[in-house]
């Protein structure tokens, strides 16, 4: 565990945080392992820890041991049919906060011994580093040892409040947006280029209020702050927003990813099945605007 944590986080302090221990403990465990194997496993420097050739040889064996232990724990503890333990889910900010959070509360009500951690932040977490058990992303991974499935296609559009639109110039085409206050992402903080929505609607359009999260942008729109792009599932949930240029629809896809060995855990499998079922039940929320 200590060897893999240091491989994945590349510093004693970061590995200690992941393991919920202290960095002297991590250093001591690694030194003990190196003594046992009579090999230096890491090159230590001010920039962090990097694997030596001996460490690189050990890595696949350590990963196999981790995978074996996960299966052993699930089987021997007799929890194959019991949802006990923790599941950590990484999800985009808007999807996590405006849809998934309430669903997972219902799920936890059904399984009170299950511990749920939802990381709904504007970044992606690593499955390979075991930062999350389940990852929901906008992009399908091209490489890597992960199991991937398409969750759903979803649509986005331009929205504003009626109060903001009162007394403003009419919007009949994309160029008319240049006369309005625009709400969008901070370009250099966008963690996925597929989120540069405005470029698809009106290339070069200047924004006046920018934020790193879509939830903040939603709140700015609700405060009559201008016009911005929101997913339909968010606009449908909060209501009180008027579609702008409804023919200018954008479509994206949510993908679900999981490590093959984590997928064998009953608590992870059941959580995935629940998320997929909730999305299927609410498909119209993602694809159509409420009347």
């Amino acid at each position: 565990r200590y060897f893999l944590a240091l491989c994945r986080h590349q510093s004693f302090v970061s590995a200690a945080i992941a393991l919920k221990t202290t960095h002297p403990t991590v250093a001591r465990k690694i030194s003990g392992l190196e003594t046992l194997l009579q090999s230096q496993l890491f090159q230590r420097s001010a920039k962090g820890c990097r694997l030596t050739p001996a460490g690189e040889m050990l890595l696949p064996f350590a990963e196999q041991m981790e995978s074996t232990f996960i299966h052993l724990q699930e089987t021997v503890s007799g929890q194959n049919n019991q949802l006990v333990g923790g599941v950590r889910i990484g999800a985009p900010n808007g999807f996590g906060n405006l849809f998934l959070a309430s669903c997972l509360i219902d799920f936890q009500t059904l399984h009170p011994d299950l511990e749920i951690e939802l990381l709904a932040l504007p970044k992606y977490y690593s499955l390979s580093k075991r930062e999350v058990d389940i990852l929901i992303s906008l992009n399908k991974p091209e490489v890597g040892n992960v199991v991937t499935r398409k969750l759903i296609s979803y649509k986005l559009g331009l929205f504003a409040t009626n109060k903001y639109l009162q007394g403003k110039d009419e919007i009949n085409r994309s160029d008319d947006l240049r006369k309005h206050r625009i709400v969008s992402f901070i370009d250099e903080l966008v963690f996925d280029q597929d989120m540069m929505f405005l470029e698809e609607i009106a290339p070069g359009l200047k924004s006046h209020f920018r934020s790193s999260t879509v939830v903040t942008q939603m709140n700015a729109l609700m405060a009559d702050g201008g016009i911005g792009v929101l997913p339909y599932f968010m606009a449908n949930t909060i209501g009180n927003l008027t579609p702008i240029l409804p023919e200018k629809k954008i479509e994206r896809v949510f993908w679900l990813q999981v490590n093959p060995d984590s997928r064998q855990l009953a608590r992870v499998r059941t959580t995935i099945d629940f998320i997929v079922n909730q999305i299927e039940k609410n498909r119209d929320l993602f694809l159509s605007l409420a009347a």
Side-chain angles (χ1 to χ4, degrees):
R1 287 194 309 126
Y2 288 86
F3 172 78
L4 286 174
L6 191 54
C7 286
R8 291 162 179 167
H9 298 281
Q10 299 179 348
S11 82
F12 289 111
V13 173
S14 297
I17 292 172
L19 293 166
K20 298 180 180 179
T21 185
T22 63
H23 70 272
T25 300
V26 177
R28 187 172 65 252
K29 293 283 189 179
I30 295 299
S31 295
L33 182 60
E34 289 177 326
T35 299
L36 177 68
L37 297 176
Q38 298 181 11
S39 299
Q40 183 179 353
L41 301 175
F42 293 93
Q43 292 283 357
R44 283 89 159 163
S45 72
K47 294 182 179 180
C49 298
R50 297 291 185 271
L51 286 172
T52 63
E56 291 174 354
M57 292 178 63
L58 176 60
L59 179 58
F61 293 99
E63 290 176 332
Q64 181 60 48
M65 291 172 67
E66 179 184 51
S67 178
T68 299
F69 179 76
I70 289 173
H71 291 296
L72 181 151
Q73 185 183 40
E74 179 78 357
T75 303
V76 176
S77 64
Q79 294 182 5
N80 274 328
N81 299 312
Q82 300 175 34
L83 297 190
V84 178
V87 178
R88 176 176 281 191
I89 304 163
N93 173 251
F95 178 75
N97 284 297
L98 270 293
F99 179 78
L100 197 55
S102 58
C103 294
L104 291 174
I105 293 299
D106 294 338
F107 181 60
Q108 199 167 38
T109 300
L110 298 173
H111 307 285
D113 292 327
L114 193 64
E115 300 172 10
I116 298 289
E117 292 184 350
L118 175 60
L119 306 181
L121 295 169
K123 63 172 288 188
Y124 287 151
Y125 289 87
S126 172
L127 287 169
S128 63
K129 293 182 179 179
R130 306 284 177 175
E131 292 178 337
V132 293
D133 299 300
I134 299 168
L135 177 63
I136 296 169
S137 66
L138 298 180
N139 288 322
K140 181 180 181 181
E142 299 299 328
V143 295
N145 183 29
V146 297
V147 178
T148 303
R149 67 179 296 171
K150 179 180 177 180
L151 275 180
I152 193 169
S153 296
Y154 69 99
K155 294 181 180 178
L156 309 93
L158 291 164
F159 295 92
T161 60
N162 285 329
K163 184 175 180 180
Y164 167 79
L165 293 170
Q166 286 176 0
K168 302 289 195 307
D169 293 335
E170 288 189 10
I171 305 170
N172 298 309
R173 54 196 181 94
S174 296
D175 279 349
D176 293 339
L177 294 169
R178 304 185 193 280
K179 302 175 185 178
H180 289 264
R181 293 185 59 81
I182 303 299
V183 175
S184 72
F185 285 103
I186 302 171
D187 290 353
E188 60 267 30
L189 296 183
V190 171
F191 66 95
D192 192 316
Q193 290 304 303
D194 279 349
M195 298 168 65
M196 303 294 283
F197 306 122
L198 286 178
E199 285 299 307
E200 295 186 27
I201 295 173
L205 184 65
K206 179 184 176 182
S207 56
H208 304 81
F209 180 90
R210 293 178 284 275
S211 169
S212 61
T213 75
V214 69
V215 172
T216 303
Q217 294 168 46
M218 176 194 74
N219 289 330
L221 297 182
M222 293 298 295
D224 312 314
I227 299 171
V229 176
L230 287 181
Y232 283 9
F233 69 85
M234 292 179 66
N236 287 334
T237 299
I238 60 178
N240 198 34
L241 288 174
T242 298
I244 308 296
L245 300 176
E247 72 279 4
K248 298 285 186 180
K249 294 186 286 288
I250 299 171
E251 188 164 312
R252 294 290 186 268
V253 175
F254 283 132
W255 298 91
L256 186 145
Q257 305 170 46
V258 63
N259 282 321
D261 51 1
S262 297
R263 191 188 183 199
Q264 302 304 313
L265 300 174
R267 60 181 182 270
V268 174
R269 290 198 311 271
T270 307
T271 302
I272 291 172
D273 290 342
F274 179 83
I275 292 172
V276 170
N277 180 260
Q278 290 300 303
I279 289 176
E280 286 298 318
K281 284 173 56 179
N282 293 278
R283 176 171 288 273
D284 288 347
L285 191 70
F286 292 84
L287 295 172
S288 305
L289 287 175

